[in-house]
Amino acid sequence: MSIVIISDRDPKAWLSALKARAPELEVYVYPEVENKEKVEYALVWNYPHGVLKEFPNLKVVASMGAGVDHIMNDAELPRKVLVTRVVDKQLGIDMAEFVLALILSHLRNLLVHKGTEVSKEWTPKTYFRIADPTVGIMGMGVLGNKVSEKLKSAGFKVTGWARTQRTNRELRIFSGKEELEPFLNEINILVCLLPLTPLTENILNKDLFSKLPKQAFVINVARGRHLVEKDLLEYLDNGHLSGAALDVFRTEPLPQDHPFWETPKVHVTPHIASVTPPSCA
Ligand SMILES: NC(=O)c1ccc[n+]([C@@H]2O[C@H](COP(=O)([O-])OP(=O)(O)OC[C@H]3O[C@@H](n4cnc5c(N)ncnc54)[C@H](OP(=O)(O)O)[C@@H]3O)[C@@H](O)[C@H]2O)c1
């Protein structure tokens, strides 16, 4: 039995974590694989679709991160393989701290003042406090739950939206299509933590933005294809939304000529909200 790593990430840290845990394992980095018939596990991230067919005895395709959309979108994914993903404690902690940092930076205008610092302007702006906004989290799964706990403990009012109904004494969770509008109507900061599926692709669009109160702020830390980029630009431009923090994009790296780079109301980070450390996986 052997493992193949197929990824656009530097595999060194994964190789040494696997060697440390199971020195007897044969681990290869694609395309340097000695005997493709012996490969039963593939550890993947943004791999070239179609290549998994080269391994006739593949049993498991393991995502190197929390998302499996890059695997499920592979039209040539072998039919009988098991697909797994990483769920580790640190991933949730990192995501929660990142979202908290973004929200605080938005409330206290830190990015706006970075701009006024560059242009040497002394223009104090009115700020908001933790007690002011309601934060709505779309997607109350592994990461959404961690983020809601962190925000609640910091003193924020938090609500959530998920697929299935549930009771949660700590916070109100709206569910399903019928409760999306009432959920949106009440929130000032939207955090997208949905998985990318045919039902959630393009969900952050102008119809959804129009249901948010005026001056709402949008955070997308899930997947780039949740967001209709031109709709976001239109709703920032017409003043309905006050800004957006985006960590994920339809095309990554974000192309040099993309308008987000030049839009002061958009805060761009390069997909760093929470990265799976190989030692935890
Ligand atoms: N930016 C980064 O660095 C980074 C790092 C890691 C992960 N991510 C991304 O973060 C996202 C969340 O990951 P996760 O592990 O927390 O996901 P997860 O555990 O699978 O949670 C998914 C949540 O979304 C809800 N949901 C799914 N489809 C829905 C629909 N059609 N309508 C309403 N709610 C729906 C589910 O509802 P139910 O609970 O009712 O089933 C669940 O609460 C993923 O997109 C992942 O790729 C980003």
Side-chain angles (χ1 to χ4, degrees):
M1 198 273 285
S2 60
I3 293 187
V4 63
I5 300 179
I6 317 176
S7 156
D8 64 352
R9 294 176 175 174
D10 184 349
K12 268 194 228 109
W14 285 91
L15 276 171
S16 45
L18 285 166
K19 286 278 170 221
R21 292 264 177 99
E24 71 289 353
L25 267 183
E26 281 179 45
V27 185
Y28 297 98
V29 177
Y30 188 84
E32 309 296 325
V33 186
E34 261 173 34
N35 183 349
K36 290 186 176 170
E37 306 236 316
K38 274 179 77 184
V39 172
E40 291 185 9
Y41 289 79
L43 190 57
V44 300
W45 189 259
N46 287 340
Y47 64 98
H49 285 176
V51 296
L52 296 177
K53 283 188 312 198
E54 296 175 27
F55 305 97
N57 297 312
L58 198 61
K59 292 199 170 87
V60 177
V61 181
S63 170
M64 289 160 114
V68 290
D69 44 289
H70 60 116
I71 301 172
M72 303 318 283
N73 291 337
D74 181 354
E76 294 173 86
L77 178 69
R79 279 175 133 225
K80 287 193 177 153
V81 292
L82 191 71
V83 174
T84 69
R85 66 179 185 140
V86 175
V87 175
D88 80 275
K89 239 180 162 183
Q90 194 58 44
L91 205 64
I93 295 170
D94 289 358
M95 180 59 83
E97 290 176 357
F98 186 72
V99 171
L100 177 64
L102 287 176
I103 294 177
L104 289 175
S105 138
H106 163 62
L107 295 179
R108 303 306 303 256
N109 302 309
L110 296 186
L111 293 168
V112 176
H113 288 307
K114 186 69 213 163
T116 57
E117 181 191 339
V118 172
S119 56
K120 300 184 184 170
E121 286 170 73
W122 191 266
T123 46
K125 241 179 104 60
T126 312
Y127 58 80
F128 292 96
R129 299 185 174 85
I130 286 178
D132 293 325
T134 296
V135 183
I137 302 173
M138 295 181 80
M140 291 300 296
V142 177
L143 300 180
N145 271 304
K146 280 279 165 230
V147 171
S148 78
E149 283 166 22
K150 174 64 94 189
L151 296 179
K152 289 278 286 180
S153 68
F156 283 99
K157 298 185 281 290
V158 183
T159 62
W161 184 67
R163 193 172 34 179
T164 47
Q165 243 176 3
R166 70 198 74 181
T167 15
N168 181 328
R169 266 187 255 135
E170 302 299 315
L171 77 161
R172 174 148 188 218
I173 301 184
F174 296 79
S175 64
K177 262 191 174 170
E178 326 67 59
E179 291 190 357
L180 179 58
E181 185 161 350
F183 162 77
L184 294 169
N185 288 168
E186 285 180 15
I187 63 178
N188 313 98
I189 299 175
L190 180 156
V191 180
C192 179
L193 271 168
L194 289 164
L196 184 64
T197 69
L199 288 177
T200 64
E201 184 163 6
N202 297 325
I203 193 165
L204 303 178
N205 57 37
K206 60 167 106 176
D207 181 47
L208 180 144
F209 298 145
S210 70
K211 294 180 175 117
L212 290 167
K214 236 179 161 331
Q215 290 296 293
F217 188 77
V218 172
I219 296 177
N220 188 17
V221 277
R223 283 291 177 263
R225 279 166 46 205
H226 285 126
L227 175 68
V228 180
E229 297 180 338
K230 66 172 177 36
D231 288 4
L232 177 72
L233 288 168
E234 182 184 327
Y235 268 66
L236 289 170
D237 205 36
N238 70 19
H240 189 80
L241 297 177
S242 59
L246 308 175
D247 185 53
V248 286
F249 303 90
R250 297 188 91 90
T251 307
E252 296 182 7
L254 187 64
Q256 288 293 306
D257 59 353
H258 198 288
F260 285 162
W261 291 116
E262 306 292 337
T263 307
K265 287 181 182 171
V266 176
H267 180 199
V268 171
T269 49
H271 202 147
I272 42 77
S274 72
V275 179
T276 311
S279 54
C280 293

